Amino acid sequence: GAGVSQSPSNKVTEKGKDVELRCDPISGHTALYWYRQSLGQGLEFLIYFQGNSAPDKSGLPSDRFSAERTGGSVSTLTIQRTQQEDSAVYLCASSLRTGVGQPQHFGDGTRLSIL
Amino acid sequence: SQQGEEDPQALSIQEGENATMNCSYKTSINNLQWYRQNSGRGLVHLILIRSNEREKHSGRLRVTLDTSKKSSSLLITASRAADTASYFCATDYNQGGKLIFGQGTELSVKP
């Protein structure tokens, strides 16, 4: 497709389980971002893959969160030992180039619910 | 937190009226972006204004930037029911590409 694709669109899991969220960016886009959106915290930056440079992981809330981007394309965000406070919508975005001032294209997100 | 503030938090208007949303930010910026989010969907980029610009237009959208007041406003003219959405300002605060978002304004346009 032409846009950013995220899967699954919804995920319900039990506290303590691990989850993997997937993002397919727009083809050819160098930069890929993960954000989290929750009622209490609004939109929060998590991690930013900037081409061949080391990712900016400064927004990851704990070491239970990790992400990788394979082959400069698909990215997976993994949350280990999920907690109820991890419930949120996880949004992925991509941009054509890295650096400041780049419009970002968002997927529709994965709605994660931790029981 | 570097998150800016937006006001109003919610705005309800009739179709055909203009809608104005305001955004304040905390430190110097190179640019500021506005995004729209429809319920249950991702964000859609609307417009980017650079720090050396004071005003920018795109269709029915008009964005202003006042760097001395660290504030920006988004005006939607002749609003339509389809403009009902949440609107967010965002900036990267010169920290690479990651965006810091405001809390958003929820706009409701009634037919």
Side-chain angles (χ1 to χ4, degrees), chain A residues 58-85:
Chain A
S58 60
L60 294 178
S62 77
D63 58 7
R64 296 186 296 105
F65 288 72
S66 63
E68 62 177 21
R69 187 178 186 193
T70 53
S73 181
V74 171
S75 177
T76 303
L77 177 69
T78 301
I79 309 173
Q80 296 179 310
R81 305 181 303 282
T82 52
Q83 303 293 313
Q84 287 188 328
E85 62 262 28

Side-chain angles (χ1 to χ4, degrees), chain B residues 23-47:
Chain B
C23 165
S24 62
Y25 56 91
K26 298 193 176 182
T27 62
S28 64
I29 60 172
N30 270 342
N31 64 83
L32 186 138
Q33 304 183 38
W34 284 89
Y35 287 81
R36 183 188 75 227
Q37 184 179 34
N38 290 85
S39 181
R41 303 298 300 274
L43 284 80
V44 174
H45 179 261
L46 296 176
I47 197 165

